[in-house]
Amino acid sequence: MSYVDEVLELVKKKNASEPEFIQAVTEVFESLKPVIEANEEKYKREAILERITEPERQFKFRVPWVDDKGQVRVNTGYRVQFNSAIGPFKGGIRLHPSVNIGIIKFLGFEQIFKNSLTSLPIGGGKGGSDFDPKGKSDREIMAFCQSFMTELCKYIGADTDVPAGDIGTGAREIGFMFGQYKRIRGLYEGVLTGKGLSYGGSLARTEATGYGLLYFTNEMLKSNGIELAGKTVAVSGAGNVAIYAIQKAQQLGAKVVTCSDSTGWIYDPEGIDVALLREVKEVKRARLTEYAAARKSAQYHDKASEGTNQWTIKVDIALPCATQNELNIDDAKTLVANGVIAVAEGANMPTTIEATKYFQANGVLFAPGKASNAGGVATSALEMSQNSERLSWSFEEVDAKLQTIMVNIFHNADKAAKKYGMEGNYVAGANIAGFEKVVDAMLAQGVC
Ligand code: NDP
Ligand code: 2IT
């Protein structure tokens, strides 16, 4: 058995109750085979694959808080500090009832390679809780965030581990967490990113993941001789990533006709009205039914009663921006039958391995999330730089850096794929390019 297969078996055995983590490791290891084979003896002696799949440390803690009725509630908090070879741990905090250690580990593992691809000095980490922010009052959100940070603050810091947003964690939650960190630790430092502009946040961080996704997609299309302008696009999700992906796609001349949340999806043949979507989601924190109620051209589809999703619409480009495994093999077959040209992941691992392979086998340009959604964490790293030098850059300056970073990520992934004889396989290219830098740093730092 090859070294890669040996360690993959070990990972499966050791983490048998964590299917998402096994999925993420399988995808990365499959692409790394040619690189590992070229260095098999050395990597095996150094146990590189065993080390890279074992978090440096992980925390699991109780998060008690009091709801508006005076009832004490208890959630579980997590922080996985996966790999600090190239910089302090960096990665978001996910607040969603589905969160468990396997999901946080898959996200932390992906983050190692994504952060490496940004070319900025950040290691990989992730955190979260099974807390459900939906329907909670601002006071309840604050109570949860303060309790969560009361424990988390022991393990993080501007030079050790810098959390940020993810599903369910936006500017409001980051603000409450930052306030509690400062109060307990007595430190005014860049310990979180995605902060508000009045207390150390970076311009363009809110937009960065969605904008970055489009900068990457645009470069991928361009390098394959295709224009983004005039294309029809399906987006899933209606959160931070989706909203700004839709906005940038429109600015670049494409027409976005769908978006979704966990209960339903919108088909709007005239193009999504971003101002209305922002009002419904960012201000009212309401359901997409309100979007449909306010816009004549929009059709609302209920997922549970209809059993359909936005991938049934005929489009040129699909941008999954909601959550993991939201695009499966049946969706892939439908999209391919409808003539899709490109799929670029805004979410983390939204496409199943089977669906990814189907797209690649059918000549669809496929951008893996760890490359195409890296604009968010890259801009977080730019926020860290601004905090360190106690300066704030203009929107244009940050946005220009983001564009350069995304274009470079595309070309680095493209080059790495070509180098190993897998031209056009951006999944393999991204995994290889991300891996090489981390391994180089790990080897230089000895057994640790
Ligand atoms: P938000 O919480 O802002 O939005 C998430 C969106 O996805 C909502 O519309 C939500 O619907 C929908 N969604 C979430 N979970 C599910 C589910 N289980 N089933 C169906 N729909 C779901 O999160 P973000 O936009 O920040 O994150 C979206 C994705 O992008 C995640 O995979 C995240 O890890 C990834 N990502 C985020 C980055 C960031 O900077 N924020 C950076 C890089 C990647 P509803 O409101 O109904 O739950
Ligand atoms: O998945 C991700 O890259 C994020 N949620 C953003 C992490 C960050 O530190 O900005």
Side-chain angles (χ1 to χ4, degrees):
M1 201 188 275
S2 73
Y3 174 47
V4 177
D5 290 331
E6 209 178 280
V7 181
L8 189 55
E9 282 313 303
L10 181 77
V11 167
K12 285 180 181 168
K13 221 163 118 191
K14 256 183 124 169
N15 306 278
S17 59
E18 299 169 4
E20 293 86 0
F21 178 57
I22 291 172
Q23 182 183 341
V25 174
T26 304
E27 186 223 87
V28 171
F29 275 21
E30 277 183 4
S31 340
L32 290 178
K33 273 186 177 157
V35 183
I36 306 293
E37 273 160 18
N39 299 277
E40 176 130 356
E41 205 181 310
K42 179 173 173 190
Y43 286 178
K44 193 169 175 174
R45 192 179 58 242
E46 295 285 344
I48 281 296
L49 298 181
E50 291 90 330
R51 280 198 271 160
I52 212 162
T53 49
E54 185 72 38
E56 287 183 31
R57 66 188 67 80
Q58 58 193 48
F59 304 99
K60 180 176 179 190
F61 49 91
R62 180 167 70 203
V63 189
W65 55 281
V66 182
D67 74 15
D68 285 346
K69 294 189 180 119
Q71 175 66 50
V72 176
R73 307 266 211 114
V74 182
N75 289 102
T76 307
Y78 303 91
R79 185 75 186 165
V80 172
Q81 298 184 334
F82 222 121
N83 192 301
S84 64
I86 63 170
F89 305 104
K90 182 85 196 84
I93 291 172
R94 177 173 294 192
L95 301 181
H96 193 272
S98 62
V99 163
N100 58 42
I101 188 65
I103 288 185
I104 299 300
K105 275 172 66 184
F106 117 64
L107 290 162
F109 183 71
E110 289 286 290
Q111 204 81 44
I112 303 170
F113 306 99
K114 182 196 304 195
N115 292 3
S116 167
L117 283 168
T118 66
S119 75
L120 299 167
I122 40 178
K126 201 84 185 190
S129 173
D130 58 359
F131 174 74
D132 186 359
K134 274 203 198 82
K136 303 288 190 299
S137 68
D138 283 353
R139 197 211 59 81
E140 289 175 323
I141 297 285
M142 181 171 74
F144 170 83
C145 290
Q146 290 182 338
S147 181
F148 183 80
M149 184 52 85
T150 299
E151 184 61 25
L152 186 69
C153 75
K154 298 168 190 169
Y155 318 120
I156 62 175
D159 294 312
T160 45
D161 183 354
V162 183
D166 193 80
I167 290 178
T169 305
R172 176 182 58 170
E173 291 74 21
I174 293 292
F176 292 146
M177 289 181 194
F178 184 77
Q180 188 72 350
Y181 179 87
K182 183 165 60 81
R183 191 174 169 207
I184 299 179
R185 297 286 302 269
L187 289 170
Y188 203 109
E189 61 172 3
V191 66
L192 293 159
T193 58
K195 298 185 293 298
L197 299 178
S198 56
Y199 61 95
S202 173
L203 284 159
R205 174 61 188 89
T206 305
E207 296 83 355
T209 312
Y211 279 20
L213 173 65
L214 268 297
Y215 296 146
F216 186 99
T217 305
N218 197 24
E219 193 64 19
M220 175 174 78
L221 292 172
K222 226 167 74 184
S223 108
N224 285 278
I226 303 165
E227 255 207 61
L228 175 61
K231 298 289 182 292
T232 307
V233 181
V235 167
S236 64
N240 174 265
V241 180
I243 288 172
Y244 295 96
I246 296 170
Q247 188 173 69
K248 184 52 74 179
Q250 292 177 345
Q251 286 172 7
L252 295 173
K255 185 179 197 182
V256 183
V257 293
T258 73
C259 63
S260 69
D261 62 19
S262 50
T263 44
W265 59 282
I266 293 285
Y267 175 52
D268 192 341
E270 308 228 315
I272 299 290
D273 178 341
V274 176
L276 175 60
L277 185 63
R278 289 184 62 194
E279 174 68 21
V280 171
K281 286 294 174 186
E282 294 181 343
V283 182
K284 294 187 182 161
R285 298 180 189 275
R287 312 307 304 160
L288 284 174
T289 41
E290 292 213 13
Y291 176 93
R295 190 157 158 92
K296 255 202 182 132
S297 55
Q299 301 166 12
Y300 178 79
H301 296 271
D302 183 71
K303 280 186 190 165
S305 64
E306 293 184 23
T308 58
N309 66 28
Q310 62 290 331
W311 310 130
T312 51
I313 300 295
K314 180 176 164 49
V315 289
D316 304 308
I317 297 166
L319 304 175
C321 298
T323 193
Q324 66 273 2
N325 294 327
E326 53 158 316
L327 198 168
N328 62 28
I329 183 68
D330 294 332
D331 302 320
K333 285 181 178 165
T334 308
L335 283 163
V336 168
N338 282 335
V340 76
I341 303 167
V343 177
E345 297 183 322
N348 285 308
M349 207 169 75
T351 316
T352 63
I353 292 182
E354 213 186 354
T356 302
K357 288 185 174 158
Y358 190 80
F359 285 130
Q360 291 178 320
N362 283 278
V364 176
L365 302 174
F366 184 86
K370 63 170 71 69
S372 49
N373 75 31
V377 74
T379 307
S380 277
L382 300 179
E383 183 172 327
M384 290 165 72
S385 301
Q386 293 169 77
N387 290 164
S388 297
E389 62 176 18
R390 299 184 193 284
L391 288 173
S392 312
W393 307 336
S394 68
F395 187 96
E396 290 68 28
E397 194 173 351
V398 179
D399 189 40
K401 286 188 162 69
L402 170 64
Q403 284 188 55
T404 306
I405 289 168
M406 297 314 295
V407 166
N408 286 342
I409 293 176
F410 170 77
H411 289 289
N412 289 338
D414 189 35
K415 262 187 245 154
K418 282 181 183 148
K419 182 174 156 192
Y420 287 94
M422 293 183 278
E423 182 162 359
N425 184 342
Y426 307 123
V427 173
N431 285 329
I432 293 168
F435 176 81
E436 280 184 332
K437 181 176 169 189
V438 175
V439 167
D440 190 58
M442 285 174 73
L443 290 172
Q445 291 170 29
V447 179
C448 59

